[in-house]
Amino acid sequence: MTGPHPAVAAVRRAVRNLLAECPGVPAIDVALSGGADSLALTEAAVFTGRRLGLPVRALVVDHGLQAGSARVAEEAAGTARKLGVDSAEVLTVEVTGPGGPEAAARNARYAALRAHHRGIVLLGHTRDDQAETVLLGLGRGSGPRSIAGMRAVDLPWGRPLLDVPRATTRDACRALGLTPWEDPHNSDPRYTRVRLRAEVLPLLEDVLNGGVAAALARTAAQLREDSEALDALAADFLARHGKPDIGELAPLPASLRRRILRNWLTAHGARDLTDAHLRSVDALVARWRGQGGVWLPGGLVVTRTHGRLAMNPPETRGD
């Protein structure tokens, strides 16, 4: 008896490998858009869930941004039921907020999935999506965290396809007789990610003789490992020392020192920190010239007092 199509087998194997890293999850939720990536992922989740004895549910988010979006969402849910999910739900969201329509839609989608999940939530991000994320981070100068891309496991999120090319999910759908929905936003050049996908990555693949997406994904994985090591060292430092002590911080390598400062700042309520914010706070440690406090988003201020750093809202700050 012949086995499944190689593309179908590759997607199933990716799901199986990721779930092996997450023992004890009570159920599998799949974020389903109706596109090729999430359709192939849904089939693989059903196949794997049956063998593991885990219930599988499809969660379809209707952003309401296009005419007929409710119909598309219901059709995706119907396809999921035909694939054998235990249940399929359509989550209707309102897309509002800062950052443009792409960011607002993403925030609304993640909020809905987080509010309704009952186990691990599988997302259909592929190796190509990872490459695009790395390029976006490089272009924005967002630092190693952004260039490190997306994590495969960041519970409740699971991204089993980060080593699977987008072409494989399309091949899997063809082999399974599935017709993916083509989101018109994915071909709209007004979106930066679309231009990266349609223009930049193909050009890089041509100029560098192929393999660029895979190389970017490998770079992200290497940076992520380095970043996790720095996070562990920073957490150990803060566990031993508590509030940052200038005398203990100053001799450390700059990369570790700034990681400690980031962890300390975020633990005390700082949000939306940029590299410029971190370098300004780091200057209070490594390049102290008696300068004033550093203002952070949310009206927070970091000051240096008696050899230690302190963070206070401006109205309660002591000079």
Side-chain angles (χ1 to χ4, degrees):
M1 184 174 64
T2 60
H5 186 279
V8 175
V11 179
R12 290 176 177 177
R13 183 167 55 250
V15 171
R16 182 179 69 245
N17 290 344
L18 181 131
L19 291 175
E21 299 178 21
C22 307
V25 295
I28 302 171
D29 291 322
V30 184
L32 175 62
S33 67
D37 303 334
S38 60
L39 277 179
L41 179 61
T42 300
E43 191 280 336
V46 170
F47 180 87
T48 307
R50 285 174 178 165
R51 280 148 183 77
L52 297 177
L54 295 175
V56 179
R57 178 179 57 164
L59 296 176
V60 186
V61 178
D62 176 13
H63 300 88
L65 295 177
Q66 304 165 20
S69 65
R71 175 185 54 79
V72 170
E74 288 295 344
E75 288 178 355
T79 301
R81 296 184 186 103
K82 292 176 183 176
L83 288 171
V85 298
D86 295 284
S87 62
E89 298 180 24
V90 175
L91 311 177
T92 302
V93 299
E94 183 178 354
V95 177
T96 58
E102 196 173 14
R106 181 175 60 250
N107 292 338
R109 177 168 63 254
Y110 274 86
L113 293 170
R114 185 182 291 278
H116 289 83
H117 83 91
R118 60 183 182 182
I120 191 170
V121 182
L122 301 186
L123 305 171
H125 297 120
T126 65
R127 188 174 71 186
D128 300 79
D129 295 303
Q130 185 76 298
E132 292 161 12
T133 299
V134 173
L135 284 176
L136 283 170
L138 282 169
R140 293 168 178 167
S142 305
R145 282 183 180 273
S146 179
I147 301 170
M150 298 173 280
R151 295 175 182 268
V153 178
D154 185 18
L155 294 175
W157 318 117
R159 299 178 177 90
L161 306 183
L162 289 182
D163 289 325
V164 177
R166 186 176 293 134
T168 299
T169 65
R170 293 188 175 278
D171 288 344
C173 285
R174 278 191 290 270
L176 294 165
L178 299 174
T179 303
W181 173 63
E182 300 292 343
D183 185 348
H185 284 169
N186 288 338
S187 58
D188 189 336
R190 290 178 299 174
Y191 297 108
T192 302
R193 187 177 285 270
V194 170
R195 296 196 66 188
L196 283 176
R197 181 177 305 164
E199 302 174 35
V200 177
L201 270 170
L203 178 61
L204 287 173
E205 294 281 356
D206 179 48
V207 172
L208 300 177
N209 297 315
V212 171
L216 288 170
R218 286 196 304 272
T219 299
Q222 293 161 4
L223 279 170
R224 196 158 51 251
E225 290 170 355
D226 291 348
S227 183
E228 288 168 354
L230 284 172
D231 278 339
L233 292 171
D236 178 68
F237 178 95
L238 289 171
R240 288 186 290 109
H241 297 282
K243 185 176 290 189
D245 180 273
I246 302 297
E248 298 288 346
L249 278 172
L252 297 177
S255 60
L256 176 56
R257 190 171 60 237
R258 285 196 289 271
R259 188 62 54 97
I260 292 167
L261 291 171
R262 171 183 282 277
N263 288 7
W264 175 69
L265 292 168
T266 56
H268 289 78
R271 297 292 181 268
D272 302 321
L273 295 173
T274 65
D275 182 68
H277 292 136
L278 284 175
R279 289 181 182 275
S280 295
V281 174
D282 186 52
L284 297 176
V285 176
R287 296 186 300 281
W288 174 244
R289 300 290 185 272
Q291 62 265 41
V294 176
W295 288 66
L296 302 176
L300 299 173
V301 181
V302 179
T303 56
R304 173 170 170 157
T305 308
H306 305 301
R308 287 183 176 271
L309 296 181
M311 183 168 67
N312 304 296
E315 63 270 15
T316 63
R317 182 183 59 187
D319 294 323

